[in-house]
């Protein structure tokens, strides 16, 4: 019996540790040949001797398990290095089939205290990094489709966050970048569908080096898998990368702790029409002031209820 991703090749960015590592290992376990990207160079151990970098360590784990993998240490937020990453996968494996964008950083601060560098760096790594790899992968699939005269195989799995869905007061840069990634994903899904490519986005919750301060107060259970373990997220990424997920495109899913929640698209809650050709201030005051007077105090467009999702309970009903 063949593995679900056998014969396919994949890139996972930010895959030296945490979520990306778990995702790369899962794709390898499911049969994909993987390019493990993690920015940086091999470092040095405590004795001063050269040590293997995180990307190569993960690639070596995949190879040790019988899979195919190689490391790439370029910066995906750099346009040309992202191009080189895609070219590496194509050159090594003959084609690229799966792109998992995970690389990111945090520079948390309240909006009134945030520096320009803190804003720019997070937008650059998360949003531009997602765009860069998507741009070159998309061009590859478009060229392959034209040569084949029909659809080809392509899967994109992007990484957003509940910080975008619910709003995160101390992360204006991160929430904005993650919201931008959702827009990039839905646009890409529509643009590439005719070539046979799907693009979906996940909002994972996991305890990683990047989020260790966020989840510092949540203890890990001693005798069972941590609900915040990255291993809860990786199987969904493997599934979305597989042929079985061909009909899933342009979707957003929240995943953590043995739970996957499908998030519905925004819907229009109310519409008001002007009595004249254009609204007047007084007319808007009469309509909108009354409308919002009946809404819960403090309610915003953000969906804070997603933060309460847990296994066995979704949106007010059990999903058995």
């Amino acid at each position: 019996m063949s593995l679900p991703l056998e014969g396919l090749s994949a890139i996972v960015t930010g895959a030296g540790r945490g979520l990306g590592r778990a995702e790369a290992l899962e794709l390898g376990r499911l049969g994909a040949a993987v390019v493990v990207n993690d920015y940086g160079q091999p470092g040095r151990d405590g004795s001063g001797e050269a040590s293997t970098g995180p990307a190569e360590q993960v690639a070596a784990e995949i190879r040790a398990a019988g899979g195919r993998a190689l490391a790439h240490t370029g910066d995906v937020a750099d346009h040309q290095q992202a191009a080189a990453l895609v070219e590496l996968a194509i050159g090594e494996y003959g084609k690229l089939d799966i792109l998992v964008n995970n690389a990111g950083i945090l520079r948390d601060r309240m909006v009134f205290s945030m520096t320009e560098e803190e804003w720019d760096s997070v937008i650059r790594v998360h949003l531009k990094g997602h765009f860069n790899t998507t741009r070159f992968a998309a061009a590859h699939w478009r060229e392959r489709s034209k040569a084949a005269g029909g659809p080809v195989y392509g899967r994109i799995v992007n990484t957003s966050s509940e910080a975008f869905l619910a709003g995160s007061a101390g992360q204006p840069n991160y929430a904005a970048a993650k919201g931008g990634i959702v827009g990039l994903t839905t646009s890409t899904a529509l643009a590439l569908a005719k070539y046979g490519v799907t693009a979906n986005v996940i909002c994972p919750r996991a305890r990683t080096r990047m989020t260790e301060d966020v989840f510092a107060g949540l203890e890990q259970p001693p005798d069972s898998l941590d609900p915040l373990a990255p291993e809860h997220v990786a199987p969904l990424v493997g599934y979305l990368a597989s042929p079985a997920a061909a009909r899933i495109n342009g979707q957003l899913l929240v995943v953590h702790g043995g739970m996957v929640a499908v998030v519905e698209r925004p819907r229009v809650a109310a519409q008001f029409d002007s009595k004249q050709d254009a609204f007047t201030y007084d007319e808007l005051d009469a309509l909108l002031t009354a409308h919002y007077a009946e809404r819960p105090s403090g309610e915003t467009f953000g969906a804070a209820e997603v933060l309460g999702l847990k296994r066995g309970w979704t949106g007010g009903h059990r999903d058995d």
Side-chain angles (χ1 to χ4, degrees):
M1 182 176 175
S2 63
L3 295 170
L5 304 184
E6 190 171 324
L8 302 177
S9 64
I11 289 171
V12 184
T13 72
R17 302 177 178 88
L19 272 174
R21 173 182 175 275
E23 292 163 354
L25 292 174
E26 178 71 1
L27 295 185
R29 188 186 71 80
L30 294 176
V34 185
V35 178
V36 179
N37 163 265
D38 198 79
Y39 181 48
Q41 299 296 329
R44 295 189 176 275
D45 61 23
S47 66
E49 296 295 322
S51 62
T52 303
E56 176 53 36
Q57 291 173 11
V58 176
E61 284 188 71
I62 295 172
R63 293 194 297 268
R68 298 176 64 191
L70 69 157
H72 177 271
T73 57
D75 178 6
V76 294
D78 180 282
H79 203 59
Q80 294 309 311
Q81 291 184 53
L85 170 59
V86 173
E87 290 167 4
L88 175 64
I90 297 168
E92 183 71 16
Y93 302 130
K95 60 185 172 64
L96 173 65
D97 302 295
I98 300 160
L99 171 62
V100 179
N101 283 309
N102 170 76
I105 60 172
L106 289 179
R107 298 290 186 270
D108 294 351
R109 203 176 300 276
M110 299 297 286
V111 68
F112 43 75
S113 301
M114 183 163 287
T115 68
E116 182 180 17
E117 188 280 330
E118 288 166 342
W119 174 271
D120 288 348
S121 61
V122 169
I123 298 296
R124 177 182 180 273
V125 176
H126 286 274
L127 185 53
K128 187 181 179 185
H130 272 62
F131 160 72
N132 285 343
T133 53
T134 297
R135 183 258 182 260
F136 294 109
H140 168 66
W141 287 320
R142 181 172 179 265
E143 291 169 6
R144 279 176 54 196
S145 179
K146 287 188 172 184
V152 296
Y153 191 98
R155 299 284 188 270
I156 299 173
V157 182
N158 287 334
T159 307
S160 183
S161 169
E162 293 168 302
F164 153 68
L165 287 174
S168 181
Q171 298 180 301
N173 48 4
Y174 183 69
K178 291 307 191 181
I181 287 167
V182 174
L184 171 65
T185 304
T186 54
S187 174
T188 301
L190 292 174
L192 300 186
K194 65 181 179 180
Y195 302 119
V197 179
T198 67
N200 294 289
V201 60
I202 64 171
C203 293
R205 189 187 302 178
R207 195 191 309 270
T208 67
R209 189 176 66 158
M210 191 175 83
T211 63
E212 59 186 354
D213 292 337
V214 177
F215 299 125
L218 299 176
E219 296 298 323
Q220 301 183 41
D223 300 320
S224 60
L225 182 63
D226 183 358
L228 293 174
E231 288 74 17
H232 287 295
V233 176
L236 176 62
V237 172
Y239 168 74
L240 292 174
S242 76
R247 288 179 56 84
I248 305 175
N249 191 31
Q251 302 299 310
L252 188 153
L253 302 98
V254 175
V255 54
H256 57 80
M259 181 218 73
V260 173
V262 177
V263 178
E264 184 63 277
R265 64 183 177 84
R267 297 185 181 277
V268 177
Q271 178 181 329
F272 303 98
D273 298 326
S274 65
K275 294 180 180 179
Q276 302 81 32
D277 288 341
F279 275 113
T280 65
Y281 169 87
D282 290 338
E283 192 176 12
L284 288 171
D285 180 23
L287 293 170
L288 293 180
T289 301
H291 174 75
Y292 281 102
E294 298 176 356
R295 307 292 293 183
S297 177
E299 180 187 72
T300 73
F301 185 75
E305 62 271 18
V306 299
L307 300 178
L309 293 174
K310 60 182 180 180
R311 185 178 181 183
W313 188 260
T314 57
H317 69 276
R318 292 189 63 84
D319 192 9
D320 295 320

